[in-house]
Amino acid sequence: FCEDPSFGNVKTAPTREAMKFSAETNHLIEKRLRQVLQPLEILLCAVVTSLEFWIVYWSRCFSLRYTDPPTAWLLVLWCLTACIALTLVAAMKYRSGKKSRAWIAIALTMWAGLVCGYSLGDRYWYEHTVNYYNVKGMASYINIDPATDKGESYMDAGTMYFKEDSRVQKETAVAFRNGMTYCVAPIMRHVQESKPGGGPVAPPSGTVDFWAVGVDCCGKKGETFTCGEVGTSLARSGLRLMDGTARSMFLLGVQEWSAGTGLPVRHPVFFHWVADPIITLEGIVSAAWEDLWLRLFGCFVGSLIMAFVLHLGLQKLRVL
């Protein structure tokens, strides 16, 4: 046989064209994978995540949670729904081979923002702001005489202004230790009198019901009571203690004081000793807002870094 050149040309030409087409396709894919990181996409991840963080943190830590809990939960659920939707979109685009790098990055950063906003806001609420809203919702009393008034008449007190000459009797403070040191000292008016045979005399009310309290502020045995603003001569007001766990510890300290002095304590009411309750309460809210803005800045920076790392990692994993 003689080899037909034209037959060879017809057979080999499509193969070369297919190889050329395949090489060009691979080159285009590699070029897309080697695309430089998109700064606007990374910035968008950080901005959207920070906005979500602000919404969730605010709804878990500020007034909306106290005045309208269903709406506060609705905001959190809305952010959760957004995270789920973005995750589904990212998954569908990735499976279909479409550009999904930005969607994956924003979905993951949004989940991180949701978890951080919820956990940090919830923690700050229980540690600080819930006390502010609870106290604001309670009654305020003025001109209370700790010598003649009884605690049972003021169980709904949130703030209390005592009469002039009222003071914290630091010298008889007691410390109750249970991991931390729980300090209690009676709020008295004038100097407490003593019986002829020794021992203190009960006040005209027949009970010692008003107490200044604090944690880790009175030494090991109560000898150096410095809780609250007890060192300020102008202080003669109290903010109600709202921590139920701490209250049980302070109550044990009061019982120890009562057993040591022989004076009755029938309906103890615990306060943080302050000079101005209004300024102290507003300071709690101001500190909460400062904490929010600081954490929001941290969230933005963290989201920016996280989005950059995710884009870089996904690019190396050949994700479009």
Side-chain angles (χ1 to χ4, degrees):
F1 289 107
C2 293
E3 190 174 337
D4 187 354
S6 62
F7 179 78
N9 290 339
V10 172
K11 184 176 180 180
T12 56
T15 303
R16 291 176 179 175
E17 289 178 2
M19 291 176 62
K20 183 178 179 181
F21 177 77
S22 177
E24 290 177 351
T25 302
N26 290 334
H27 175 71
L28 289 174
I29 293 175
E30 291 292 335
K31 185 178 180 181
R32 290 184 67 185
L33 289 171
R34 289 196 301 268
Q35 282 180 341
V36 294
L37 296 178
Q38 297 296 325
L40 290 179
E41 292 180 355
I42 296 173
L43 182 62
L44 180 64
C45 283
V47 171
V48 173
T49 301
S50 299
L51 177 61
E52 177 201 39
F53 176 88
W54 190 94
I55 293 172
V56 174
Y57 191 104
W58 177 79
S59 66
R60 301 307 300 156
C61 187
F62 287 90
S63 60
L64 187 66
R65 180 172 181 175
Y66 187 82
T67 58
D68 193 359
T71 303
W73 274 113
L74 191 63
L75 288 174
V76 176
L77 291 176
W78 180 82
C79 292
L80 176 62
T81 303
C83 289
I84 295 173
L86 286 170
T87 303
L88 293 175
V89 171
M92 287 189 294
K93 286 185 174 292
Y94 176 76
R95 289 175 181 175
S96 62
K98 296 180 180 178
K99 187 176 180 181
S100 59
R101 190 187 304 166
W103 290 97
I104 295 173
I106 196 170
L108 291 175
T109 54
M110 285 281 283
W111 278 111
L114 175 66
V115 172
C116 291
Y118 185 94
S119 57
L120 292 174
D122 208 52
R123 179 179 177 181
Y124 199 92
W125 167 264
Y126 283 112
E127 290 182 352
H128 302 285
T129 49
V130 66
N131 297 324
Y132 166 82
Y133 293 110
N134 283 334
V135 170
K136 288 283 286 185
M138 300 178 75
S140 178
Y141 294 97
I142 62 173
N143 211 30
I144 303 301
D145 188 347
T148 59
D149 290 314
K150 298 181 180 180
E152 61 184 340
S153 301
Y154 304 98
M155 301 306 289
D156 62 340
T159 58
M160 188 169 285
Y161 298 83
F162 295 94
K163 279 189 173 183
E164 291 186 14
D165 299 325
S166 298
R167 68 185 188 90
V168 177
Q169 193 167 292
K170 299 183 291 182
E171 56 274 16
T172 61
V174 169
F176 180 82
R177 295 176 62 84
N178 184 16
M180 296 184 291
T181 302
Y182 295 88
C183 309
V184 295
I187 299 172
M188 299 286 194
R189 192 162 179 240
H190 305 302
V191 180
Q192 190 175 12
E193 299 178 358
S194 299
K195 299 176 183 178
V201 176
S205 63
T207 178
V208 182
D209 284 344
F210 302 99
W211 294 82
V213 299
V215 177
D216 294 332
C217 52
C218 61
K220 294 183 178 180
K221 298 181 179 180
E223 67 277 7
T224 56
F225 189 92
T226 58
C227 306
E229 298 180 51
V230 70
T232 305
S233 59
L234 298 177
R236 55 185 181 90
S237 306
L239 278 177
R240 183 74 172 270
L241 172 75
M242 302 304 299
D243 187 342
T245 303
R247 186 184 185 282
S248 62
M249 297 295 106
F250 291 129
L251 186 58
L252 291 173
V254 167
Q255 291 172 354
E256 181 181 332
W257 181 92
S258 180
T261 60
L263 296 178
V265 180
R266 296 191 176 93
H267 299 282
V269 187
F270 301 111
F271 295 95
H272 297 288
W273 193 249
V274 297
D276 191 328
I278 296 176
I279 292 178
T280 303
L281 285 173
E282 294 306 319
I284 294 174
V285 177
S286 297
W289 278 107
E290 290 175 6
D291 182 82
L292 171 56
W293 295 122
L294 181 63
R295 292 180 188 273
L296 183 64
F297 176 76
C299 175
F300 177 78
V301 174
S303 301
L304 206 60
I305 296 172
M306 183 178 177
F308 174 79
V309 172
L310 284 171
H311 273 266
L312 196 63
L314 291 170
Q315 184 185 53
K316 290 184 178 180
L317 291 173
R318 302 170 64 86
V319 177
L320 293 177

